[in-house]
Amino acid sequence: MAEPGTPILVAVAWPYASGSRHLGHLAGAYLPADVFARYQRLAGNRVLMVSGSDVHGTPITVRADAEGVTPADIVDRYHAEFLDAWERLAISWDCYTSTGTDNHAAVTHDIFLRLLEKGHIDKRTSEQFYDAEADRFLPDRYIGGTCPHCGYLEARGDQCEDCGRTLDPEELVDPRSKITGATPELRATEHFYLRLSDFTESLGAWLDGREGWRRHVLNFSKGWVEEGLQDRAITRDLDWGVALPVDDLGEGKKIYVWFEAVIGYLSAAKEWAQRSGDPEAWREWWEGDDARSVYFIGKDNIPFHTIIWPAMLTGYGGLNLPTDVPANQYLTFKGGKASASRGVGLTIGEGLDLFEPDALRYALAASLPEQSDTDISVEEIARRVNEELVATWGNLVNRVLSMVNARCEGAVPEPGDRTADDVALLDGVDAALVTAGDQIDRVELRAALRTAMDAAAAVNAYLNATEPWKLAKTDLDRARVVLGTALDAVNGVRVAFGPYLPYSSAVLAEALGPVDGWRRPDLAVGRPVEKPTPLFAKVDVEALLAEGDGDAGA
């Protein structure tokens, strides 16, 4: 666990501004990052959480062509949608930007020129697919075909969505142009290449030294290195993207998205520093020996963050490599992998239209695909909300605050003479906070949420055993000690739930006082305790399914 005050960069996958993001994206990267960042701030660390909309991906130009609009029209539409979703979900960015800024272009040029100067980028003539009917070269995403590894018929020219392997277009079996449907032909074209092969030995040694990484991340990454790293073209025949800082290739070439998008983590940190009034402040997170950098992504982005970006950072020199890349597996919807391009699963907006933000955050956090693919549906989200969040945590808060209001003159009571059982309950809550903190720090977020819920269940069990509602009729003083103990316990448990449930945590902060650290806060004796309103609403599953025509989870 980091010492308090540690600079921690929380680097979060950049969503393509090409369409609505779905709950698989939320569970894969954005919610885990927010939970982790919120905890680290409470633990006293200096968090910088950055991301932004990826505005140069070829999915954007593909969609723009299909709709007969400009790429900028598509970007503006979905960047605004993302900002709205993050606000509704209370995602606590320090800087959420885009790859369309002058700052990002400048940082990309700096990385490119340094790698070029040091010989890690060179110029080569290669063959690229050309659509003779459309009279244009075809970037990766403009080509479809059959995956040579798994046989998936709808593989893209850059990656197979089914098996997750990255591809070069010429590897596809039976390639076809997505513009005209014609079979493309290979023609010579000149591009810049990143010499990944330069870093095979250094990256292999670095990966061998990683401890605590998820097994599937490390095994996948080591497999790439063992197969031998292949040099990859980093420019394309495009008119949409970051311009080249040199004119060696002539007109019609841009830096390709897979090279420049990962640079966004650095450019966003520099943008944040500029906004903060200290343009050099980013260095604490990128150059400091004690700094940590944790990258939250889905498993289809593993090689870009464990191979390609570390190679670029190594070649550039002087910048920290990732401390951890806790990539999640896939969230599936009734057996199908959530996919924006294929329309599988609820979009984030659709999920927020059906569920309260905290309820949606809870249900997804309880189902995070940390070690294996996890299936989910509207019914499963509703079940978790009703049977866990409402029945255990929401009910506990409501009953304790209601009884304190009614039996303790509407205020926090004196602690009184607590028994061994009373003290044991509070010790258990304090221990749960230590356990949950360790789990979140290791990015074991599902386990930490279970720890919080188990602590809530222990307080419920304590109330059922002591029955303060009966005790108040025969021994009001003892009943008040029990209720004060239960209120203290709830006051601790809310800290454990805080990173997951920002809205209801804010309500409890109004009722009980602020949380200023990862510990059970002291309750001010005599503080008014108003009669509460329910923190969460029970979900009407039948109404939800009717609203979604019975198919909302597919």
Short mmCIF file of all heavy atoms in Angstrom, two decimals, residues 149-200:
data_model
loop_
_atom_site.label_atom_id
_atom_site.label_comp_id
_atom_site.label_asym_id
_atom_site.label_seq_id
_atom_site.Cartn_x
_atom_site.Cartn_y
_atom_site.Cartn_z
N HIS A 149 -6.81 -16.25 -36.91
CA HIS A 149 -6.52 -17.00 -35.68
C HIS A 149 -7.71 -17.82 -35.19
O HIS A 149 -7.54 -18.96 -34.78
CB HIS A 149 -6.07 -16.03 -34.58
CG HIS A 149 -4.87 -15.22 -34.94
ND1 HIS A 149 -3.61 -15.76 -35.01
CD2 HIS A 149 -4.74 -13.91 -35.30
CE1 HIS A 149 -2.74 -14.82 -35.37
NE2 HIS A 149 -3.41 -13.68 -35.55
N CYS A 150 -8.93 -17.22 -35.22
CA CYS A 150 -10.09 -17.91 -34.66
C CYS A 150 -11.21 -18.15 -35.67
O CYS A 150 -12.18 -18.83 -35.35
CB CYS A 150 -10.64 -17.14 -33.45
SG CYS A 150 -11.45 -15.58 -33.89
N GLY A 151 -11.08 -17.58 -36.87
CA GLY A 151 -12.09 -17.81 -37.88
C GLY A 151 -13.31 -16.92 -37.78
O GLY A 151 -14.28 -17.12 -38.53
N TYR A 152 -13.30 -15.94 -36.90
CA TYR A 152 -14.43 -15.02 -36.76
C TYR A 152 -14.61 -14.26 -38.06
O TYR A 152 -13.67 -13.67 -38.60
CB TYR A 152 -14.17 -14.06 -35.60
CG TYR A 152 -15.25 -13.05 -35.34
CD1 TYR A 152 -16.55 -13.44 -35.07
CD2 TYR A 152 -14.96 -11.69 -35.35
CE1 TYR A 152 -17.55 -12.51 -34.82
CE2 TYR A 152 -15.94 -10.74 -35.09
CZ TYR A 152 -17.23 -11.16 -34.83
OH TYR A 152 -18.22 -10.23 -34.57
N LEU A 153 -15.83 -14.25 -38.59
CA LEU A 153 -16.08 -13.73 -39.93
C LEU A 153 -16.11 -12.21 -40.02
O LEU A 153 -15.98 -11.65 -41.11
CB LEU A 153 -17.41 -14.29 -40.47
CG LEU A 153 -17.48 -15.82 -40.63
CD1 LEU A 153 -18.87 -16.22 -41.10
CD2 LEU A 153 -16.42 -16.31 -41.61
N GLU A 154 -16.31 -11.54 -38.86
CA GLU A 154 -16.47 -10.08 -38.88
C GLU A 154 -15.28 -9.36 -38.24
O GLU A 154 -15.43 -8.33 -37.61
CB GLU A 154 -17.77 -9.69 -38.16
CG GLU A 154 -19.03 -10.28 -38.77
CD GLU A 154 -19.26 -9.81 -40.20
OE1 GLU A 154 -18.90 -8.66 -40.50
OE2 GLU A 154 -19.78 -10.60 -41.01
N ALA A 155 -14.09 -9.93 -38.38
CA ALA A 155 -12.89 -9.29 -37.82
C ALA A 155 -12.61 -7.98 -38.54
O ALA A 155 -12.92 -7.81 -39.73
CB ALA A 155 -11.69 -10.22 -37.94
N ARG A 156 -12.01 -7.03 -37.79
CA ARG A 156 -11.63 -5.75 -38.35
C ARG A 156 -10.17 -5.80 -38.80
O ARG A 156 -9.42 -6.71 -38.42
CB ARG A 156 -11.79 -4.63 -37.32
CG ARG A 156 -13.16 -4.52 -36.71
CD ARG A 156 -13.24 -3.25 -35.86
NE ARG A 156 -12.16 -3.17 -34.89
CZ ARG A 156 -12.32 -3.33 -33.58
NH1 ARG A 156 -13.50 -3.61 -33.09
NH2 ARG A 156 -11.29 -3.21 -32.76
N GLY A 157 -9.77 -4.81 -39.56
CA GLY A 157 -8.41 -4.78 -40.05
C GLY A 157 -7.36 -4.49 -39.01
O GLY A 157 -6.15 -4.61 -39.28
N ASP A 158 -7.78 -4.09 -37.80
CA ASP A 158 -6.81 -3.82 -36.74
C ASP A 158 -6.91 -4.80 -35.58
O ASP A 158 -5.97 -4.95 -34.81
CB ASP A 158 -6.95 -2.39 -36.22
CG ASP A 158 -8.32 -2.13 -35.61
OD1 ASP A 158 -9.26 -2.92 -35.85
OD2 ASP A 158 -8.45 -1.11 -34.89
N GLN A 159 -8.07 -5.46 -35.44
CA GLN A 159 -8.24 -6.34 -34.28
C GLN A 159 -9.46 -7.23 -34.49
O GLN A 159 -10.44 -6.84 -35.14
CB GLN A 159 -8.43 -5.51 -33.01
CG GLN A 159 -8.41 -6.32 -31.73
CD GLN A 159 -8.39 -5.41 -30.50
OE1 GLN A 159 -9.07 -4.41 -30.45
NE2 GLN A 159 -7.59 -5.77 -29.51
N CYS A 160 -9.39 -8.43 -33.94
CA CYS A 160 -10.55 -9.32 -33.93
C CYS A 160 -11.28 -9.15 -32.62
O CYS A 160 -10.70 -9.37 -31.55
CB CYS A 160 -10.11 -10.78 -34.09
SG CYS A 160 -11.47 -11.97 -33.94
N GLU A 161 -12.53 -8.73 -32.68
CA GLU A 161 -13.33 -8.53 -31.46
C GLU A 161 -13.62 -9.84 -30.76
O GLU A 161 -13.93 -9.86 -29.58
CB GLU A 161 -14.64 -7.82 -31.79
CG GLU A 161 -14.59 -6.31 -31.68
CD GLU A 161 -15.97 -5.71 -31.46
OE1 GLU A 161 -16.95 -6.29 -31.96
OE2 GLU A 161 -16.06 -4.67 -30.79
N ASP A 162 -13.55 -10.96 -31.49
CA ASP A 162 -13.92 -12.25 -30.90
C ASP A 162 -12.80 -12.83 -30.05
O ASP A 162 -13.01 -13.19 -28.90
CB ASP A 162 -14.32 -13.24 -31.99
CG ASP A 162 -15.08 -14.44 -31.45
OD1 ASP A 162 -16.10 -14.22 -30.78
OD2 ASP A 162 -14.63 -15.58 -31.69
N CYS A 163 -11.58 -12.89 -30.59
CA CYS A 163 -10.47 -13.48 -29.83
C CYS A 163 -9.54 -12.45 -29.23
O CYS A 163 -8.67 -12.77 -28.42
CB CYS A 163 -9.67 -14.45 -30.71
SG CYS A 163 -8.67 -13.68 -32.02
N GLY A 164 -9.70 -11.17 -29.63
CA GLY A 164 -8.92 -10.09 -29.02
C GLY A 164 -7.56 -9.87 -29.63
O GLY A 164 -6.84 -8.96 -29.20
N ARG A 165 -7.16 -10.67 -30.63
CA ARG A 165 -5.83 -10.50 -31.21
C ARG A 165 -5.77 -9.24 -32.06
O ARG A 165 -6.70 -8.92 -32.80
CB ARG A 165 -5.48 -11.71 -32.09
CG ARG A 165 -5.32 -13.01 -31.33
CD ARG A 165 -4.08 -13.00 -30.46
NE ARG A 165 -2.87 -12.97 -31.23
CZ ARG A 165 -2.16 -14.06 -31.57
NH1 ARG A 165 -2.58 -15.26 -31.19
NH2 ARG A 165 -1.05 -13.96 -32.27
N THR A 166 -4.66 -8.50 -31.95
CA THR A 166 -4.44 -7.38 -32.85
C THR A 166 -4.00 -7.91 -34.21
O THR A 166 -3.34 -8.96 -34.29
CB THR A 166 -3.38 -6.42 -32.30
OG1 THR A 166 -2.17 -7.14 -32.09
CG2 THR A 166 -3.83 -5.78 -31.00
N LEU A 167 -4.37 -7.22 -35.25
CA LEU A 167 -4.13 -7.70 -36.61
C LEU A 167 -3.56 -6.59 -37.48
O LEU A 167 -3.74 -5.41 -37.20
CB LEU A 167 -5.44 -8.18 -37.24
CG LEU A 167 -6.20 -9.32 -36.55
CD1 LEU A 167 -7.57 -9.48 -37.18
CD2 LEU A 167 -5.41 -10.62 -36.64
N ASP A 168 -2.90 -6.99 -38.54
CA ASP A 168 -2.63 -6.11 -39.67
C ASP A 168 -3.62 -6.50 -40.77
O ASP A 168 -3.96 -7.68 -40.91
CB ASP A 168 -1.19 -6.28 -40.16
CG ASP A 168 -0.18 -5.66 -39.20
OD1 ASP A 168 -0.47 -4.55 -38.69
OD2 ASP A 168 0.88 -6.26 -38.96
N PRO A 169 -4.09 -5.53 -41.56
CA PRO A 169 -5.15 -5.83 -42.54
C PRO A 169 -4.81 -6.98 -43.48
O PRO A 169 -5.69 -7.77 -43.84
CB PRO A 169 -5.31 -4.51 -43.28
CG PRO A 169 -4.84 -3.47 -42.32
CD PRO A 169 -3.74 -4.11 -41.55
N GLU A 170 -3.53 -7.06 -43.89
CA GLU A 170 -3.17 -8.09 -44.86
C GLU A 170 -3.23 -9.51 -44.28
O GLU A 170 -3.17 -10.49 -45.03
CB GLU A 170 -1.77 -7.82 -45.44
CG GLU A 170 -0.67 -7.71 -44.41
CD GLU A 170 -0.45 -6.29 -43.95
OE1 GLU A 170 -1.39 -5.46 -44.07
OE2 GLU A 170 0.64 -6.00 -43.46
N GLU A 171 -3.39 -9.61 -42.95
CA GLU A 171 -3.54 -10.93 -42.35
C GLU A 171 -4.94 -11.49 -42.52
O GLU A 171 -5.16 -12.70 -42.39
CB GLU A 171 -3.22 -10.86 -40.84
CG GLU A 171 -1.81 -10.50 -40.49
CD GLU A 171 -1.61 -10.46 -38.97
OE1 GLU A 171 -1.58 -11.54 -38.36
OE2 GLU A 171 -1.53 -9.35 -38.41
N LEU A 172 -5.92 -10.63 -42.79
CA LEU A 172 -7.31 -11.08 -42.89
C LEU A 172 -7.51 -12.05 -44.05
O LEU A 172 -6.92 -11.90 -45.12
CB LEU A 172 -8.24 -9.88 -43.08
CG LEU A 172 -8.41 -8.93 -41.90
CD1 LEU A 172 -9.22 -7.71 -42.33
CD2 LEU A 172 -9.07 -9.62 -40.72
N VAL A 173 -8.35 -13.03 -43.80
CA VAL A 173 -8.76 -13.95 -44.86
C VAL A 173 -9.98 -13.34 -45.56
O VAL A 173 -10.90 -12.84 -44.90
CB VAL A 173 -9.10 -15.34 -44.28
CG1 VAL A 173 -9.56 -16.28 -45.38
CG2 VAL A 173 -7.89 -15.92 -43.53
N ASP A 174 -9.99 -13.37 -46.88
CA ASP A 174 -11.08 -12.80 -47.67
C ASP A 174 -11.38 -11.34 -47.28
O ASP A 174 -12.50 -11.00 -46.88
CB ASP A 174 -12.37 -13.64 -47.52
CG ASP A 174 -12.19 -15.06 -48.03
OD1 ASP A 174 -11.46 -15.23 -49.02
OD2 ASP A 174 -12.77 -15.98 -47.44
N PRO A 175 -10.39 -10.45 -47.36
CA PRO A 175 -10.62 -9.04 -46.98
C PRO A 175 -11.61 -8.37 -47.93
O PRO A 175 -11.73 -8.73 -49.11
CB PRO A 175 -9.23 -8.42 -47.11
CG PRO A 175 -8.54 -9.27 -48.13
CD PRO A 175 -9.04 -10.67 -47.90
N ARG A 176 -12.33 -7.37 -47.40
CA ARG A 176 -13.29 -6.63 -48.21
C ARG A 176 -13.31 -5.18 -47.73
O ARG A 176 -13.11 -4.88 -46.55
CB ARG A 176 -14.69 -7.24 -48.11
CG ARG A 176 -15.26 -7.25 -46.72
CD ARG A 176 -16.56 -8.03 -46.61
NE ARG A 176 -17.05 -8.05 -45.23
CZ ARG A 176 -16.62 -8.88 -44.29
NH1 ARG A 176 -15.67 -9.77 -44.58
NH2 ARG A 176 -17.12 -8.83 -43.06
N SER A 177 -13.57 -4.29 -48.65
CA SER A 177 -13.68 -2.87 -48.34
C SER A 177 -15.04 -2.60 -47.70
O SER A 177 -16.07 -3.04 -48.22
CB SER A 177 -13.54 -2.04 -49.61
OG SER A 177 -13.92 -0.70 -49.38
N LYS A 178 -15.02 -1.86 -46.61
CA LYS A 178 -16.27 -1.49 -45.97
C LYS A 178 -16.94 -0.30 -46.68
O LYS A 178 -18.07 0.05 -46.35
CB LYS A 178 -16.05 -1.16 -44.49
CG LYS A 178 -15.71 -2.38 -43.65
CD LYS A 178 -15.67 -2.05 -42.18
CE LYS A 178 -15.43 -3.30 -41.34
NZ LYS A 178 -15.42 -3.00 -39.89
N ILE A 179 -16.24 0.30 -47.63
CA ILE A 179 -16.82 1.41 -48.38
C ILE A 179 -17.66 0.90 -49.54
O ILE A 179 -18.82 1.28 -49.70
CB ILE A 179 -15.71 2.35 -48.91
CG1 ILE A 179 -14.91 2.94 -47.74
CG2 ILE A 179 -16.32 3.47 -49.75
CD1 ILE A 179 -13.72 3.76 -48.19
N THR A 180 -17.08 -0.01 -50.32
CA THR A 180 -17.77 -0.48 -51.53
C THR A 180 -18.10 -1.97 -51.49
O THR A 180 -18.87 -2.44 -52.33
CB THR A 180 -16.90 -0.21 -52.77
OG1 THR A 180 -15.71 -1.02 -52.68
CG2 THR A 180 -16.54 1.25 -52.88
N GLY A 181 -17.50 -2.70 -50.55
CA GLY A 181 -17.69 -4.15 -50.51
C GLY A 181 -16.76 -4.89 -51.45
O GLY A 181 -16.75 -6.12 -51.49
N ALA A 182 -15.95 -4.15 -52.21
CA ALA A 182 -15.04 -4.78 -53.16
C ALA A 182 -13.85 -5.42 -52.46
O ALA A 182 -13.52 -5.07 -51.32
CB ALA A 182 -14.54 -3.72 -54.16
N THR A 183 -13.21 -6.34 -53.16
CA THR A 183 -11.97 -6.93 -52.64
C THR A 183 -10.85 -5.94 -52.89
O THR A 183 -10.57 -5.59 -54.06
CB THR A 183 -11.67 -8.26 -53.34
OG1 THR A 183 -12.75 -9.17 -53.09
CG2 THR A 183 -10.38 -8.86 -52.82
N PRO A 184 -10.19 -5.45 -51.84
CA PRO A 184 -9.14 -4.44 -52.04
C PRO A 184 -7.87 -5.07 -52.61
O PRO A 184 -7.65 -6.27 -52.50
CB PRO A 184 -8.92 -3.88 -50.64
CG PRO A 184 -9.28 -5.01 -49.73
CD PRO A 184 -10.38 -5.77 -50.41
N GLU A 185 -7.04 -4.23 -53.20
CA GLU A 185 -5.76 -4.69 -53.74
C GLU A 185 -4.63 -4.02 -52.98
O GLU A 185 -4.80 -2.92 -52.43
CB GLU A 185 -5.66 -4.37 -55.23
CG GLU A 185 -5.79 -2.88 -55.53
CD GLU A 185 -5.92 -2.58 -57.02
OE1 GLU A 185 -6.94 -3.00 -57.61
OE2 GLU A 185 -4.98 -1.94 -57.55
N LEU A 186 -3.48 -4.68 -52.93
CA LEU A 186 -2.32 -4.11 -52.24
C LEU A 186 -1.55 -3.19 -53.18
O LEU A 186 -1.25 -3.57 -54.32
CB LEU A 186 -1.42 -5.23 -51.72
CG LEU A 186 -1.98 -6.04 -50.54
CD1 LEU A 186 -1.11 -7.26 -50.27
CD2 LEU A 186 -2.06 -5.16 -49.29
N ARG A 187 -1.25 -1.99 -52.69
CA ARG A 187 -0.43 -1.05 -53.44
C ARG A 187 0.66 -0.49 -52.54
O ARG A 187 0.49 -0.40 -51.31
CB ARG A 187 -1.27 0.09 -54.00
CG ARG A 187 -2.25 -0.32 -55.09
CD ARG A 187 -2.85 0.91 -55.76
NE ARG A 187 -3.81 0.55 -56.80
CZ ARG A 187 -4.46 1.42 -57.55
NH1 ARG A 187 -4.22 2.74 -57.40
NH2 ARG A 187 -5.32 1.03 -58.46
N ALA A 188 1.75 -0.07 -53.13
CA ALA A 188 2.87 0.45 -52.36
C ALA A 188 2.55 1.83 -51.80
O ALA A 188 1.94 2.66 -52.48
CB ALA A 188 4.12 0.53 -53.24
N THR A 189 2.96 2.05 -50.55
CA THR A 189 2.80 3.36 -49.91
C THR A 189 3.90 3.51 -48.87
O THR A 189 4.42 2.50 -48.36
CB THR A 189 1.40 3.50 -49.26
OG1 THR A 189 1.26 4.81 -48.71
CG2 THR A 189 1.19 2.47 -48.16
N GLU A 190 4.26 4.72 -48.55
CA GLU A 190 5.37 4.97 -47.64
C GLU A 190 4.85 5.47 -46.29
O GLU A 190 3.98 6.35 -46.25
CB GLU A 190 6.34 6.00 -48.24
CG GLU A 190 7.67 6.09 -47.51
CD GLU A 190 8.66 7.00 -48.23
OE1 GLU A 190 8.22 8.02 -48.81
OE2 GLU A 190 9.86 6.69 -48.21
N HIS A 191 5.39 4.89 -45.20
CA HIS A 191 4.95 5.26 -43.86
C HIS A 191 6.09 5.20 -42.86
O HIS A 191 7.13 4.58 -43.12
CB HIS A 191 3.81 4.33 -43.40
CG HIS A 191 2.52 4.59 -44.09
ND1 HIS A 191 1.77 5.72 -43.87
CD2 HIS A 191 1.84 3.87 -45.03
CE1 HIS A 191 0.68 5.70 -44.62
NE2 HIS A 191 0.71 4.59 -45.35
N PHE A 192 5.87 5.85 -41.71
CA PHE A 192 6.78 5.73 -40.58
C PHE A 192 6.41 4.51 -39.75
O PHE A 192 5.22 4.20 -39.58
CB PHE A 192 6.72 6.98 -39.70
CG PHE A 192 7.48 8.15 -40.27
CD1 PHE A 192 6.81 9.25 -40.79
CD2 PHE A 192 8.87 8.15 -40.27
CE1 PHE A 192 7.50 10.33 -41.31
CE2 PHE A 192 9.57 9.23 -40.78
CZ PHE A 192 8.90 10.32 -41.31
N TYR A 193 7.43 3.84 -39.23
CA TYR A 193 7.24 2.64 -38.41
C TYR A 193 7.87 2.83 -37.03
O TYR A 193 8.96 3.41 -36.92
CB TYR A 193 7.90 1.43 -39.07
CG TYR A 193 7.04 0.76 -40.13
CD1 TYR A 193 6.76 1.40 -41.34
CD2 TYR A 193 6.49 -0.51 -39.91
CE1 TYR A 193 5.98 0.80 -42.31
CE2 TYR A 193 5.71 -1.13 -40.88
CZ TYR A 193 5.45 -0.46 -42.07
OH TYR A 193 4.67 -1.06 -43.02
N LEU A 194 7.18 2.36 -36.01
CA LEU A 194 7.77 2.27 -34.67
C LEU A 194 8.50 0.94 -34.57
O LEU A 194 7.91 -0.12 -34.79
CB LEU A 194 6.69 2.35 -33.59
CG LEU A 194 7.15 2.15 -32.15
CD1 LEU A 194 8.11 3.26 -31.73
CD2 LEU A 194 5.96 2.08 -31.19
N ARG A 195 9.77 1.01 -34.23
CA ARG A 195 10.61 -0.19 -34.17
C ARG A 195 10.41 -0.90 -32.81
O ARG A 195 11.27 -0.84 -31.93
CB ARG A 195 12.07 0.19 -34.38
CG ARG A 195 12.37 0.77 -35.77
CD ARG A 195 13.82 1.24 -35.87
NE ARG A 195 14.75 0.18 -35.50
CZ ARG A 195 15.21 -0.74 -36.34
NH1 ARG A 195 14.83 -0.72 -37.62
NH2 ARG A 195 16.07 -1.66 -35.93
N LEU A 196 9.28 -1.55 -32.68
CA LEU A 196 9.01 -2.28 -31.43
C LEU A 196 10.07 -3.34 -31.17
O LEU A 196 10.35 -3.66 -30.01
CB LEU A 196 7.62 -2.93 -31.49
CG LEU A 196 6.42 -2.03 -31.22
CD1 LEU A 196 5.13 -2.82 -31.42
CD2 LEU A 196 6.46 -1.44 -29.82
N SER A 197 10.63 -3.88 -32.25
CA SER A 197 11.65 -4.92 -32.07
C SER A 197 12.86 -4.42 -31.29
O SER A 197 13.60 -5.22 -30.70
CB SER A 197 12.10 -5.45 -33.44
OG SER A 197 12.58 -4.39 -34.26
N ASP A 198 13.08 -3.11 -31.25
CA ASP A 198 14.19 -2.55 -30.47
C ASP A 198 14.02 -2.82 -28.97
O ASP A 198 15.01 -2.76 -28.22
CB ASP A 198 14.27 -1.02 -30.66
CG ASP A 198 14.73 -0.62 -32.05
OD1 ASP A 198 15.12 -1.51 -32.83
OD2 ASP A 198 14.69 0.59 -32.36
N PHE A 199 12.78 -3.08 -28.54
CA PHE A 199 12.49 -3.14 -27.11
C PHE A 199 12.16 -4.55 -26.61
O PHE A 199 11.72 -4.72 -25.48
CB PHE A 199 11.32 -2.20 -26.79
CG PHE A 199 11.55 -0.79 -27.25
CD1 PHE A 199 11.01 -0.34 -28.46
CD2 PHE A 199 12.35 0.07 -26.52
CE1 PHE A 199 11.24 0.95 -28.90
CE2 PHE A 199 12.58 1.37 -26.96
CZ PHE A 199 12.02 1.81 -28.15
N THR A 200 12.37 -5.56 -27.45
CA THR A 200 12.01 -6.92 -27.07
C THR A 200 12.70 -7.33 -25.77
O THR A 200 12.07 -7.83 -24.83
CB THR A 200 12.38 -7.91 -28.19
OG1 THR A 200 11.67 -7.57 -29.38
CG2 THR A 200 12.04 -9.33 -27.78
#
